[in-house]
Amino acid sequence: TMGHRVMDYSIHRNVLHEEAVDEMAERSRSNIHLCDQIKQSMRCSGPRLKKCILHKVPIIKWLPRYSIRDNAVGDLVAGVSTGIMHISQGISYALIASIPSVYGLYASFYPVLIYTIFGSSRHVSIGPSSALSVMVRGLTDRLAPDSDFMVWDNETNSSVVDTDSQDERSTQINSAVTILAGIFQIFLGLIHFGVVVSFLSDPLVRGYITAVGFHTILSQLGNIFGIQYVKHSGLVNLIEVCYVLQQTNIANLLVFIVTFVCLLIAKKLNELLNRKITIPLPLELLAVIISTVISWKFNFKETFDVKVVGKIPSGLQPPTFPPASTFVQVIGDAFAIAVVSFGMSISMAQMFALKFGYKVDSNQELLAMGLCNFIGGTFQSLAVSVSVSRSMVQVNTGGKTSLFLSVKCLLLTQAVLSAIICVSLKGTVKQLKDIPELWKKDKIDMAIWLVSFILTVLLNPDMGLFASIGFSIVTVVFRSQKPKYSLLGQVKDTDIYRPLEDYDQVKQVPGIVIFRSSATIYFANADMYQDALRKKSGIDVTKILNAKMKLEEKKKKLQKKNKKSKQGDMVRKTKLLFFNLDPEPSHTFPRAIILDLSLVSFLDTMAVKALKNIHRDYGKIGIEVILACCQPLVVDRLQRLDFFSDKVTKSCVFSTLHDAVLYCQSPYEREDEVNYCPSIKYTLFSTCNTV
């Protein structure tokens, strides 16, 4: 049960402003110059070199300590289970990308070997993914369209696609974009730019993946209905399919429907069996084997004109590089693939690291993924990332460390592969349930999800990603443009301050206005900060100063016009007009305004300028402006951007809000204001939860 423990404590010390705290704590002033930092980072020593190698090549660190007794059986079972999934998924995702199937299998071999050496996660499964395959498909459809490979067929007296030449060109495009994506990832990893993943919020990624699943289904329409159509990107394919839908191959469609239904039923049974057995049944592999045998036995290709994958070459091919001109054409797509590949990988790696109690380095993961894609690309493999389904199988079957796989391949009908792909997207389609859940929790996150989904569906996956990231950044700016501004009051007999509008038993400190913003202050909201202070405090400084200026001008004019005998009456009238504009503390204006900057993490030039204006303008009407709860970085920015001067010193900056309040409550006239420190002596009570 949870209870409350009441503790009392007493404090007796002087009120401390920032200068006093710096002096008491002996703040260090040593700032290392940028050139010295670069020199220091370039120095090399034996221990430092060893540490660098162990960090960049993690296998050297964990392999000598590998426990065969504890890990071998689990890794073997997990390796076999995920290896089986690699076969069907490798062929299927190559089909999505519109490249020969063998290169999907290569993506399940070379990158896995590389990640075993350089990866820092113990539980993710590296290989081809549907999202990256769809992105490659959009690229091959754009750079290697059917119209560029039409040849005349004398037997049919019609134009047909030269599939061999098209496959060769598509393979070059895939190789170029994968290599270039790997280069981007390696470069970003070396400069420690793993923070780029912070722009990929969970709603953005889930909306994007759901839209990619939609593109994946669109890419399989030709294989599902057994039809030929001019391939485009996105929704245009759906229109093209509708034009030729009457040419549907019924046998091809039946193969898809039967396989799809059987896989759905088998997956449901598999979920029930998983409660009793830890090793899942290889449903996809069974579908591949059974369909291949039936297709061969009944000669589906010749008898029913059903499309088949065709012969998959055995053995491994030597590394090659595509023409240099191809790299230029795929730069933008390569960067998009690099970001998506890393974003999906690091999110899964961090999830497993948190679950099993170890750490992953985002920059090392970026470097490892870059090497996987770069080396895999030289062997024409698909771009790789982490697969959620394979990773979950690997964890559920007892995998505990990184592993490598070698796989074989089979011949089967394309309709079966399409059924496998569509069934595997069931979880992706279920992510549509995110929309009502996000509507209840956070409407801006729901907007990010929807925009990411819609833009990715309407545009290509690469353009959709960049547009979604742009919208996500806009929402960050929007949130900072709509912070909550509050006036704080004191909880009775404590040093705790809370917003007045949120608490009934919180009272404003007499003669003091405490103002706080829920967001940091920068160029985009600096003016809003000043306007909010004016509205919340009810003190329009500009209006007051203008009125004061007009009164002074009127006073001078009256002094010139009136005779000496009437000057007394004029002075009395002016005093009455100035009654509410007395620059000294009065019943109308508060004695001081305290700006609570506890939620401010950074100040730019516009923010400091706004604080200067506040300090100057309110000071002109006799209201002292105090800064409280400033972080050391904020104080440094204030000093660097010339907030402090001979008249404005660090004595107006306090580390705690209560210090600032007590300082303002002290006698207004101070003989030595800079060094004046009233004494704090009070007893506080706090409550904390205890078990």
Side-chain angles (χ1 to χ4, degrees):
T1 60
M2 301 298 293
H4 296 281
R5 181 173 58 192
V6 179
M7 301 173 58
D8 65 309
Y9 61 93
S10 299
I11 296 176
H12 186 196
R13 64 170 175 82
N14 289 336
V15 173
L16 300 175
H17 50 62
E18 197 65 29
E19 282 183 341
V21 173
D22 288 351
E23 183 178 352
M24 181 181 295
E26 297 182 359
R27 184 177 180 185
S28 174
R29 301 295 180 183
S30 58
N31 293 323
I32 302 176
H33 195 270
L34 178 61
C35 295
D36 295 332
Q37 292 179 2
I38 296 175
K39 290 179 181 178
Q40 188 175 356
S41 64
M42 297 299 290
R43 290 176 183 172
C44 184
S45 62
R48 188 168 185 176
L49 179 62
K50 179 182 177 181
K51 183 180 179 180
C52 180
I53 293 175
L54 290 176
H55 180 70
K56 296 300 182 184
V57 191
I59 193 173
I60 300 176
K61 187 176 182 179
W62 64 261
L63 187 59
R65 292 182 286 179
Y66 183 85
S67 175
I68 297 178
R69 177 182 297 179
D70 296 335
N71 301 327
V73 175
D75 285 346
L76 179 62
V77 173
V80 172
S81 302
T82 54
I84 290 172
M85 295 181 67
H86 268 294
I87 296 174
S88 58
Q89 289 187 359
I91 299 174
S92 301
Y93 293 152
L95 183 66
I96 294 175
S98 191
I99 63 173
S101 301
V102 67
Y103 301 121
L105 295 176
Y106 287 171
S108 304
F109 178 68
Y110 295 108
V112 177
L113 288 173
I114 301 301
Y115 189 84
T116 304
I117 299 172
F118 295 98
S120 61
S121 177
R122 307 170 192 170
H123 296 90
V124 297
S125 176
I126 298 296
S129 73
S130 59
L132 301 185
S133 298
V134 170
M135 296 177 75
V136 174
R137 174 63 175 265
L139 184 60
T140 55
D141 286 347
R142 189 173 79 245
L143 298 182
D146 292 348
S147 57
D148 289 355
F149 300 93
M150 301 299 292
V151 295
W152 185 259
D153 185 2
N154 293 324
E155 295 182 2
T156 60
N157 290 323
S158 62
S159 297
V160 296
V161 178
D162 184 356
T163 55
D164 292 338
S165 300
Q166 188 179 38
D167 286 347
E168 181 181 356
R169 176 58 178 160
S170 297
T171 302
Q172 292 178 349
I173 295 169
N174 168 71
S175 178
V177 76
T178 304
I179 291 173
L180 200 53
I183 292 174
F184 278 131
Q185 290 174 325
I186 292 172
F187 174 73
L188 294 175
L190 291 176
I191 64 174
H192 290 193
F193 205 64
V195 70
V196 71
V197 75
S198 62
F199 292 105
L200 301 176
S201 64
D202 188 59
L204 186 150
V205 172
R206 292 178 69 86
Y208 178 79
I209 295 301
T210 306
V212 167
F214 180 80
H215 278 285
T216 304
I217 295 174
L218 284 181
S219 70
Q220 297 306 300
L221 293 178
N223 298 323
I224 292 172
F225 294 101
I227 55 179
Q228 291 282 352
Y229 62 94
V230 180
K231 296 181 179 64
H232 302 278
S233 59
L235 295 175
V236 182
N237 282 330
L238 186 60
I239 299 173
E240 291 289 343
V241 168
C242 292
Y243 280 122
V244 295
L245 200 58
Q246 69 275 9
Q247 302 174 13
T248 298
N249 186 320
I250 301 300
N252 204 93
L253 182 60
L254 287 175
V255 170
F256 169 80
I257 294 174
V258 171
T259 307
F260 182 80
V261 173
C262 290
L263 280 175
L264 283 179
I265 296 173
K267 277 187 173 291
K268 192 64 178 179
L269 293 175
N270 203 15
E271 292 174 2
L272 297 175
L273 291 175
N274 280 344
R275 301 173 184 174
K276 298 181 179 180
I277 58 175
T278 58
I279 303 177
L281 296 177
L283 300 178
E284 290 86 358
L285 182 62
L286 290 176
V288 168
I289 294 174
I290 293 172
S291 63
T292 301
V293 172
I294 294 175
S295 174
W296 167 74
K297 186 70 175 176
F298 294 97
N299 195 12
F300 276 12
K301 182 178 180 180
E302 300 296 335
T303 306
F304 303 105
D305 194 25
V306 173
K307 294 181 181 179
V308 297
V309 172
K311 186 176 180 180
I312 300 177
S314 60
L316 302 176
Q317 297 184 5
T320 59
F321 281 86
S325 59
T326 308
F327 287 101
V328 179
Q329 296 175 299
V330 300
I331 291 178
D333 302 85
F335 186 77
I337 288 176
V339 173
V340 173
S341 170
F342 172 63
M344 293 191 299
S345 300
I346 193 62
S347 59
M348 286 295 296
Q350 289 175 341
M351 183 186 74
F352 287 127
L354 181 64
K355 181 178 180 179
F356 294 101
Y358 63 93
K359 293 182 178 180
V360 293
D361 184 347
S362 60
N363 293 307
Q364 179 61 25
E365 284 295 294
L366 197 50
L367 180 64
M369 292 302 303
L371 290 171
C372 289
N373 281 315
F374 177 76
I375 295 176
T378 61
F379 290 94
Q380 291 84 44
S381 82
L382 271 170
V384 296
S385 182
V386 168
S387 166
V388 177
S389 58
R390 290 195 306 267
S391 298
M392 295 305 298
V393 167
Q394 180 169 316
V395 170
N396 294 335
T397 53
K400 298 180 180 179
T401 64
S402 302
L403 51 89
F404 59 89
L405 305 169
S406 59
V407 295
K408 295 181 180 179
C409 51
L410 297 167
L411 305 177
L412 67 157
T413 61
Q414 293 185 4
V416 171
L417 286 177
S418 296
I420 293 173
I421 292 168
C422 292
V423 170
S424 67
L425 292 174
K426 183 179 69 172
T428 302
V429 175
K430 284 184 177 181
Q431 291 181 165
L432 290 169
K433 295 180 180 179
D434 291 350
I435 299 174
E437 293 179 3
L438 289 173
W439 173 261
K440 298 176 183 178
K441 296 178 181 179
D442 191 320
K443 292 179 175 57
I444 293 182
D445 281 347
M446 186 206 66
I448 293 174
W449 197 104
L450 283 175
V451 170
S452 177
F453 175 81
I454 294 172
L455 291 179
T456 306
V457 168
L458 296 178
L459 306 174
N460 291 329
D462 53 347
M463 294 300 296
L465 174 66
F466 289 125
S468 301
I469 293 176
F471 179 79
S472 182
I473 294 174
V474 169
T475 62
V476 174
V477 177
F478 175 78
R479 289 176 194 263
S480 68
Q481 288 284 312
K482 295 292 183 181
K484 182 179 180 180
Y485 297 106
S486 305
L487 292 182
L488 305 186
Q490 185 178 23
V491 180
K492 187 178 180 181
D493 297 329
T494 70
D495 63 344
I496 300 172
Y497 297 85
R498 292 292 183 266
L500 292 169
E501 64 267 27
D502 296 338
Y503 296 85
D504 295 332
Q505 296 302 318
V506 170
K507 304 299 180 183
Q508 183 172 351
V509 181
I512 300 174
V513 172
I514 306 174
F515 179 73
R516 184 177 70 186
S517 169
S518 63
T520 194
I521 311 170
Y522 67 113
F523 69 92
N525 61 9
D527 290 337
M528 294 175 58
Y529 184 85
Q530 298 179 77
D531 292 339
L533 175 59
R534 174 180 56 81
K535 293 177 182 178
K536 287 287 185 179
S537 65
I539 303 172
D540 191 336
V541 180
T542 304
K543 185 176 180 180
I544 294 171
L545 291 176
N546 288 337
K548 182 178 178 180
M549 187 181 300
K550 290 179 180 179
L551 287 172
E552 289 178 348
E553 292 177 355
K554 187 175 181 180
K555 179 181 177 181
K556 292 179 180 180
K557 291 179 180 179
L558 289 173
Q559 286 176 341
K560 292 180 179 179
K561 293 181 178 180
N562 292 341
K563 297 178 180 180
K564 292 182 179 181
S565 60
K566 296 183 180 181
Q567 284 183 354
D569 294 337
M570 181 274 296
V571 171
R572 283 192 294 273
K573 291 179 181 178
T574 304
K575 284 185 176 180
L576 289 174
L577 291 171
F578 265 91
F579 180 78
N580 288 327
L581 301 175
D582 191 347
E584 299 299 320
S586 68
H587 298 290
T588 305
F589 294 152
R591 171 178 295 177
I593 292 178
I594 300 175
L595 304 180
D596 181 359
L597 303 182
S598 57
L599 301 179
V600 176
S601 59
F602 177 80
L603 293 173
D604 62 4
T605 55
M606 293 296 294
V608 174
K609 183 179 179 180
L611 294 177
K612 279 184 178 181
N613 293 338
I614 292 172
H615 194 280
R616 180 198 65 215
D617 294 343
Y618 284 90
K620 288 181 179 179
I621 60 174
I623 300 177
E624 189 173 14
V625 177
I626 300 295
L627 309 184
C629 304
C630 296
Q631 300 180 34
L633 177 62
V634 173
V635 178
D636 289 342
R637 293 292 296 177
L638 288 171
Q639 187 164 3
R640 188 174 300 176
L641 297 177
D642 299 328
F643 176 81
F644 301 115
S645 62
D646 294 337
K647 295 182 179 180
V648 182
T649 65
K650 285 187 178 181
S651 61
C652 70
V653 182
F654 290 84
S655 299
T656 71
L657 188 54
H658 198 58
D659 279 76
V661 170
L662 292 176
Y663 176 83
C664 295
Q665 286 180 327
S666 62
Y668 191 79
E669 293 81 10
R670 306 183 184 111
E671 295 180 359
D672 187 358
E673 189 172 347
V674 174
N675 297 318
Y676 182 84
C677 288
S679 176
I680 298 179
K681 186 175 182 180
Y682 53 93
T683 301
L684 302 175
F685 296 91
S686 67
T687 58
C688 60
N689 293 329
T690 182
V691 180

